[in-house]
Amino acid sequence: MEVALAIVIGVLYAGGLYLMMRRNLIQLIIGLGLLSHGANLLIFTSGGLREGGAPILEEGKKAFAAVPADPLPQALILTAIVISFAVTAFALVLFLRTYEVVGTDDVDEMKETDT
Amino acid sequence: MILLPVLPIILPLAGAILCMFFRKNLIAQKVFAVIFSSLMLTVAIGLLMSVRGGEIAVMNVGNWPAPFGITLVVDMLSAIMLVLGGLMAVAVSVYACFDLDQGRTRFGFFPLLLIMMMGVNGAFVAGDLFNLYVWFEVLLTASFILLALGGEAAQLEGSIKYVALNLLSSALFLAGVGILYGMAGTLNMAQLAVVVQEGGHGGLVTMVAVMFMLGFGIKAGMFPLFFWLPASYPTPPAAVSAIFSGLLTKVGVYALIRMFTLVFCNDIAFTHGLLLVAAGLTMLTGVLGAASQHEIRRILSFHIVSQIGYMIMGLGLFTTLALAGTIFYLIHHIIVKTNLFLVAGAIKRLTGSYDLNLLGGLYESRPGLAMLFMIPAMSLAGIPPLSGFFAKLALLIAGVQAEAWWIVATALAVSLLTLYSMTKIWAAAFWKAAPADALPCKEPADWRLFLMPMTVLAILTVCIGVFAGPVFSLAQDAAAQLMNPAGYIHAVLGGG
Amino acid sequence: MTSIILRTATRYMFPPLLVFSIYLLLRGHHYPGGGFVGGLIAGSAFALYALSFDVASARKLLRFDPRAVTATGLAIALISGLPPLLSGKAFLTGTWWNVPIRPGVTIAIGTPVVFDIGVYLVVLGVLLSFVFLLAEEE
């Protein structure tokens, strides 16, 4: 399972970086999205994959029946997903505005700030 | 007092909320922004006083004990950074009251500024790696909007470069966090330091260290991925550029200092050696880039890059003196750089341009403004007795002691080139006669009041130079605290 | 873009979605749920309304400006962290009060619930700011 996830993470990173180096704004933003998904999966995998119940105690019990899965990586990922959701939403608005103002979605055409 | 470490986060948030409630009332927003940033400064000074003796203020948010909950830690470095952050927030919000156009103010400049300050302060007090990540994202998101605010074409293009590279660095940072968690089972920085010290993780720690170096390095504007900085910083209005150039890259430097003194010190020869090489290249490329520019703010932006190099150099040398030099440099640089951007903004307000080819004769017509530029510019170049001289001196002495001759030589050469580009601005904007097609100067009615924040910062620059002794001993105490992480670990984790 | 099927469905979907979002919000302290999901579901109810009718009527339905909703939520979340300070505990420490509503029946009201209500409003406000902004761009 770890191997499969490791390959998936690698593919996500490779795809994300490849798309980030394209000239199109939409591809750039999809690339950023893939990259953050890769990072999230990496946290999930390196936190340890374990078969076990949810770490929520049944009512009236004081101990878990089986060793539960580690909830922290999932909490971290949830936070990271929320953040990347907000940032992606903002980036979409920004890119849309840029497309309207500059009149192109080709990154190579945006030379005004080049030094 | 138990409340203190969290106040630098609560205060700007409260200010931002108040500003959001008074969305239509711009005067109220200005008042709130100035009041709350002054409160922040006051609290930060109080914190610095209370940790001055060497103890570390720790607070476990929600009463969850330390390696499990979110811990806020204020040591001397954090406190110094908080004071500087507060100072810049006050200066910039006062400046923005005069200079910022109606449209941007109406769209929420002040609440965004305060939210960004919340992120900056949060990053300075975070004692937990994931918390640090979250604060970074808070400040980045606010800075994205501040940068794009107004929506001019150049601004938007700069924002895209800024957003893309900073999100890449966040992804790297997050991946590093994931690997560290898998390795150590904790993200509390003190606990991480303990786990890494125990050893047994082989090359994995070094690999993660390089990942963090890249992630924070992008945010700090370190070689080789600094290109977003000169592309984006010169595009927004002066108030935004000033707070960005003063604080944002320095949060990256702060994170580098924190991680590479506390956690990643198991393979110093490699990681810190790499930092030193990156520092040298950062200095050099930054200053060479600046030499080829003809627009005031582009020159200044490239100089940020070159000066990040000096700060990283102190970290790379990794001795108490070198770190003290880095901290002194941070103090000096944040004040001076913000001031230079504000003065550039004043020049623009007066003449309508940043372009050196269109400026001229300002020394004749505005000797006061010329003085205000002269002090930080000469300090930046390292002319005694101004603050920059002592900062560079400490770093050079540390370099000589470590016998790292090539970095000393680079630092000296870069210093000379810095002087060259400062004199270039000076000669073009202030000394040469105004060109025939120069834009007419018109002095706004509130000009004297408007110059107040710059004057205060210039006086501070001189004071840091004149009273370099006490300031340097403060930096040295902070550096000694950093070089001995046992105190930090003990303060966070208790007896263990 | 507006189809009669979507509009009719939205009219029936809207109230249950809002009720469900409140249910998730209140359930969230001990079971899966919470302010974030609740806010998202409430936000998607309004977004659905904006899609099937138009943004102006969705704004009218919300009554308050999304940014004001965000600010209120932030204020509530911030205030929820303050009560423990009175008893000398750290910021955001969970504090509970048993509030009697009838003789013999009390419900526990705690700062985490208040914090969650703040989160709910922030998520709702931020989501709708984006959705309305993007929908009005067209």
Side-chain angles (χ1 to χ4, degrees), chain A residues 13 20 25 32 35 40 42-43 46 70 72-73 76 79 83 87 90 94-95 98 101-102 110-114, chain B residues 130 133 137 144-145 148 153-154 156-157 160-161 163-164 167-168 174-175 178 181-182 187 231 235 293 298 302:
Chain A
Y13 266 84
M20 273 191 79
L25 278 183
L32 285 172
L35 217 57
N40 289 340
L42 180 63
I43 298 181
S46 68
D70 184 359
L72 192 74
L76 300 184
T79 315
I83 292 172
V87 172
F90 168 75
L94 173 73
F95 288 7
T98 313
V101 172
V102 185
M110 301 183 182
K111 293 187 198 132
E112 202 164 317
T113 58
D114 280 356
Chain B
F130 196 75
Y133 168 76
E137 294 300 299
F144 291 162
I145 307 177
L156 292 171
E157 286 186 19
I160 285 184
K161 291 166 190 172
V163 168
L167 289 185
L168 176 66
L174 195 59
Y181 182 74
L187 289 174
T235 57
Q293 294 297 320
R298 288 211 174 156
F302 270 107

Side-chain angles (χ1 to χ4, degrees), chain C residues 4-134:
Chain C
I4 187 143
I5 301 173
L6 190 61
R7 262 182 289 165
T8 318
T10 305
R11 229 174 249 136
Y12 286 106
M13 289 289 288
F14 189 76
L17 274 174
L18 282 191
V19 174
F20 183 57
S21 77
I22 304 276
Y23 165 73
L24 276 179
L25 163 69
L26 294 179
R27 186 178 191 265
H29 191 63
H30 292 297
Y31 298 98
F36 185 78
V37 212
L40 273 185
I41 289 180
S44 51
F46 281 98
L48 187 64
Y49 199 89
L51 272 182
S52 51
F53 295 91
D54 55 20
V55 178
S57 49
R59 272 192 195 276
K60 208 187 277 169
L61 195 65
L62 185 64
R63 279 165 189 250
F64 303 100
D65 188 285
R67 282 171 289 180
V69 176
T70 314
T72 316
L74 279 176
I76 292 174
L78 179 63
I79 289 167
S80 80
L82 301 179
L85 296 173
L86 297 177
S87 50
K89 294 210 184 82
F91 182 64
L92 277 177
T93 306
T95 314
W96 294 84
W97 298 275
N98 285 316
V99 183
I101 46 168
R102 256 199 340 242
V105 179
T106 59
I107 50 170
I109 293 186
T111 51
V113 179
V114 181
F115 185 80
D116 248 5
I117 294 172
V119 173
Y120 180 94
L121 291 176
V122 171
V123 172
L124 180 64
V126 171
L127 185 73
L128 289 184
S129 312
F130 271 124
V131 169
F132 289 167
L133 198 75
L134 280 173

